[in-house]
Amino acid sequence: MGNREIVVLMGTCGKSAGADRVYDKFASALKAKSIAGVELKQSGCAGLCYSEVNVRTFRDGKEYLYAQITEDDVEKFIDSEIIENKTYMEKILFEADPVDDTALFPKQKRIVLRNCGKITPTSVDDYIAKDGYKAILKALTMPPEKVVQEIKDSGLRGRGGAGFPTGLKWELTRKNPAPEGRYFICNADEGDPGAFMDRSVLEGDPHSVIEGMLIGAYAIGANHGYIYVRAEYPLAVKHCLKAIEDAKARGFLGENIMGSGFSFDLKTKEGAGAFVCGEETALIASIEGKRGMPSLRPPYPAEKGVFGKSTVINNVETLANIPWIILNGGSKYSETGYEKSRGTKVFALAGKIKKGGLVEVPMGTTLREVIYDIGGGMAEPEYKFKAVQLGGPSGGCIPERLLDLPVDYESLVKTGAIMGSGGMVIMDERSCMVDLARYFLNFTQNESCGKCTFCRLGTKRMLEILERICKGQGTMDDLTLLQEIAKKCSTSSLCALGGSAPNPVLTTLKYFYDEYVEHIVNKRCPAKYCKKLLTYTINDKCIGCTACARKCPVKAISGEKKTRHFIDQQKCIKCGACVATCKFNAIDTE
């Protein structure tokens, strides 16, 4: 039989689908069958969230990836794969070259996600076996200025949303006098709805982020650092703590790293989950034990950051690129990409898409390729694609006619959207764009720290207008007022949260203006989503089962048994309970 590996992918998505139970079942079944020579391992998410629980194994020089494995599959899997050396055909997803991922992940280029799903994230030996910590050893032989230049040559820009050139940020910080020392911070406060890239990288490959921080700290001359990670990510926090402990034990962290004379102390700081703490100055305040609120810039963190000291803040995805760049060269990294956006970008596909999960594509890949060629298109093909929300609550909605747009910083800004951290929420024709704008305004209004007037009151007033429109109580003057308030918020807010909060409103007004007009003038929701604007009627399919009448909370439905029923429109409160109850598709909604 020889030595074999069974790898259960156990990121948060896998665990949600039952990966813990599958792993335990494998352990007990292998023991019960007295099968020796098989190593049962854990790994992080490979990005195939739609097919969890995923299990990998290797045989005859090939990798076999299985999907949607349950406890009931385990015995049959072992009998087929391990005992008979045959593919377990019921759940096989892919058979591939274990080194070349291009067949398993077509149109993708995996730099940030290179180890996710392949290594055990709590094993520093696994990371080292994948060339882990070779980049910091190489960097320590280079002058710090040369390290900075390598990152500048790569063209890497911050993946947290702003897209500021990473090498330039390092250079500016390094040149800034810092007699009391510098700090290097990893921003892992991922708060966008629909975004989970940073969480998955920290869960699946935490050492790559630590190594990226080490290289950055060496380059700018920092000896202290924090990983600021939200407490809502317990698995990511657990893996970070374990990775820091192991890195220290191997001499990659602490005093006189690998005899180089360079020292770096790294800690984690768990955030309480406030969206605004993703903003640099608010994050700094939170680390210092203060309330997480932004402050005016300048001074910038490079001048006055954590505890008043010069500081660099990079996000998780940015840092996971760094070891690859140092090992392969900045010019090699810059070969991938589009115009001023070099390298790759990780996106989290969510919403009404067939293959939800993580993808990493070269900059310049079109939205259509990401959504259809990689994401598989719509989850329910009978419903048409309507829009994609990019960049989370600070981003914008892009309509179908712009799907051939290349994904890069400048192209997305021209549409009114932004790259953001990489959340990509797909919507079909059942999504109401007015309600979508209301949803994101509700999020940003709740998350506003309240420090500046335009964000605190501007988002509140815009939310009230959108709520009125969704209830059929809006006027055409409201649209003019929405745009006026949005412009004031964009130009006058203290930080990026308030400044970008109007983006969902502005882009839906730009691309879906007719839907606003329908809500206001005709008191109609074209997507049939806004309940206050719906009318429920019963059609000829009704068999008089009385189920809807018994479920109606206001007794608005009447009729004799085994005859067609009717809805009293004066009594109907438009709750939709009748639609949810009817098994005969006898309720029409207009």
Side-chain angles (χ1 to χ4, degrees), residues 195-262:
F196 46 91
M197 300 78 61
D198 293 351
R199 170 178 59 75
S200 190
V201 171
L202 287 177
E203 289 178 357
D205 192 15
H207 285 285
S208 69
V209 179
I210 291 173
E211 188 176 10
M213 292 186 72
L214 273 164
I215 296 166
Y218 171 72
I220 69 165
N223 299 117
H224 302 280
Y226 284 96
I227 299 176
Y228 186 88
V229 55
R230 53 180 46 213
E232 295 165 336
Y233 287 176
L235 189 62
V237 172
K238 178 182 176 183
H239 286 185
C240 278
L241 290 171
K242 179 70 166 59
I244 290 172
E245 178 185 339
D246 289 347
K248 284 181 178 176
R250 295 298 182 92
F252 295 118
L253 282 174
E255 297 291 330
N256 191 23
I257 293 170
M258 309 307 288
S260 66
F262 167 63

Side-chain angles (χ1 to χ4, degrees), residues 169-170 173 183-188 278-281 283-284 287 301 305-306 311-315 319:
K169 179 184 276 192
W170 289 12
T173 308
Y183 273 83
F184 199 102
I185 308 297
C186 170
N187 184 351
E279 197 277 340
E280 288 187 346
T281 58
L283 183 151
I284 289 170
I287 288 178
V306 176
T311 300
V312 156
I313 302 175
N314 288 140
N315 93 322
L319 291 166

Side-chain angles (χ1 to χ4, degrees), residues 1 4 6 26 30 33 35 57-60 64 66 69 73-92:
M1 187 178 301
R4 295 283 303 275
I6 297 174
F26 268 115
L30 290 170
K33 290 176 181 289
I35 297 176
T57 190
F58 307 88
R59 170 164 48 84
D60 302 328
Y64 296 82
Y66 291 91
I69 295 293
D73 292 308
V74 170
E75 295 276 356
K76 291 179 284 187
F77 181 100
I78 292 173
D79 289 344
S80 179
E81 263 291 348
I82 306 301
I83 297 177
E84 299 174 13
N85 274 327
K86 293 180 179 177
T87 303
Y88 177 45
M89 297 303 297
E90 287 184 37
K91 296 291 180 74
I92 184 69

Side-chain angles (χ1 to χ4, degrees), residues 26-83:
F26 268 115
S28 61
L30 290 170
K31 184 177 181 181
K33 290 176 181 289
S34 300
I35 297 176
V38 177
E39 185 178 5
L40 181 61
K41 301 179 69 174
Q42 301 183 8
S43 190
C45 171
L48 308 169
C49 307
Y50 67 95
S51 64
E52 297 287 1
V53 175
N54 292 127
V55 174
R56 289 178 185 268
T57 190
F58 307 88
R59 170 164 48 84
D60 302 328
K62 289 187 176 180
E63 174 185 337
Y64 296 82
L65 177 64
Y66 291 91
Q68 297 179 336
I69 295 293
T70 68
E71 295 164 88
D72 294 336
D73 292 308
V74 170
E75 295 276 356
K76 291 179 284 187
F77 181 100
I78 292 173
D79 289 344
S80 179
E81 263 291 348
I82 306 301
I83 297 177

Side-chain angles (χ1 to χ4, degrees), residues 91-354:
K91 296 291 180 74
I92 184 69
L93 180 67
F94 215 84
E95 173 185 323
D97 185 318
V99 177
D100 184 2
D101 275 345
T102 54
L104 179 57
F105 301 110
K107 295 199 171 185
Q108 297 194 48
K109 183 177 178 66
R110 295 169 74 89
I111 293 176
V112 173
L113 302 178
R114 59 192 179 277
N115 293 327
C116 291
K118 290 190 170 184
I119 65 171
T120 299
T122 54
S123 168
V124 66
D125 290 326
D126 267 22
Y127 182 67
I128 290 172
K130 294 286 186 181
D131 293 336
Y133 291 113
K134 279 188 177 179
I136 180 59
L137 295 178
K138 179 181 177 180
L140 290 173
T141 66
M142 301 162 62
E145 296 84 357
K146 173 63 177 167
V147 176
V148 172
Q149 188 60 48
E150 202 71 59
I151 302 304
K152 289 179 70 177
D153 292 345
S154 75
L156 177 67
R157 296 166 66 174
R159 299 298 194 244
F164 192 82
T166 303
L168 179 59
K169 179 184 276 192
W170 289 12
E171 184 178 65
L172 291 173
T173 308
R174 179 169 179 78
K175 288 181 177 178
N176 194 64
E180 297 181 353
R182 299 185 177 92
Y183 273 83
F184 199 102
I185 308 297
C186 170
N187 184 351
D189 192 54
E190 185 177 54
D192 290 2
F196 46 91
M197 300 78 61
D198 293 351
R199 170 178 59 75
S200 190
V201 171
L202 287 177
E203 289 178 357
D205 192 15
H207 285 285
S208 69
V209 179
I210 291 173
E211 188 176 10
M213 292 186 72
L214 273 164
I215 296 166
Y218 171 72
I220 69 165
N223 299 117
H224 302 280
Y226 284 96
I227 299 176
Y228 186 88
V229 55
R230 53 180 46 213
E232 295 165 336
Y233 287 176
L235 189 62
V237 172
K238 178 182 176 183
H239 286 185
C240 278
L241 290 171
K242 179 70 166 59
I244 290 172
E245 178 185 339
D246 289 347
K248 284 181 178 176
R250 295 298 182 92
F252 295 118
L253 282 174
E255 297 291 330
N256 191 23
I257 293 170
M258 309 307 288
S260 66
F262 167 63
S263 301
F264 187 61
D265 179 52
L266 181 59
K267 300 176 181 176
T268 61
K269 169 70 176 179
E270 295 182 37
F275 181 68
V276 74
C277 284
E279 197 277 340
E280 288 187 346
T281 58
L283 183 151
I284 289 170
S286 180
I287 288 178
E288 293 173 341
K290 305 171 186 171
R291 181 179 175 185
M293 297 178 80
S295 54
L296 279 173
R297 295 184 291 180
Y300 292 95
E303 304 161 291
K304 185 179 179 182
V306 176
F307 304 117
K309 298 180 181 179
S310 177
T311 300
V312 156
I313 302 175
N314 288 140
N315 93 322
V316 170
E317 183 181 343
T318 307
L319 291 166
N321 276 295
I322 301 297
W324 193 97
I325 293 171
I326 295 299
L327 279 182
N328 296 277
S331 58
K332 181 68 176 176
Y333 185 83
S334 69
E335 290 176 4
T336 300
Y338 181 80
E339 296 189 345
K340 296 180 181 178
S341 302
R342 311 312 304 173
T344 63
K345 179 74 189 83
V346 180
F347 288 101
L349 302 185
K352 306 292 179 58
I353 192 163
K354 186 176 182 180

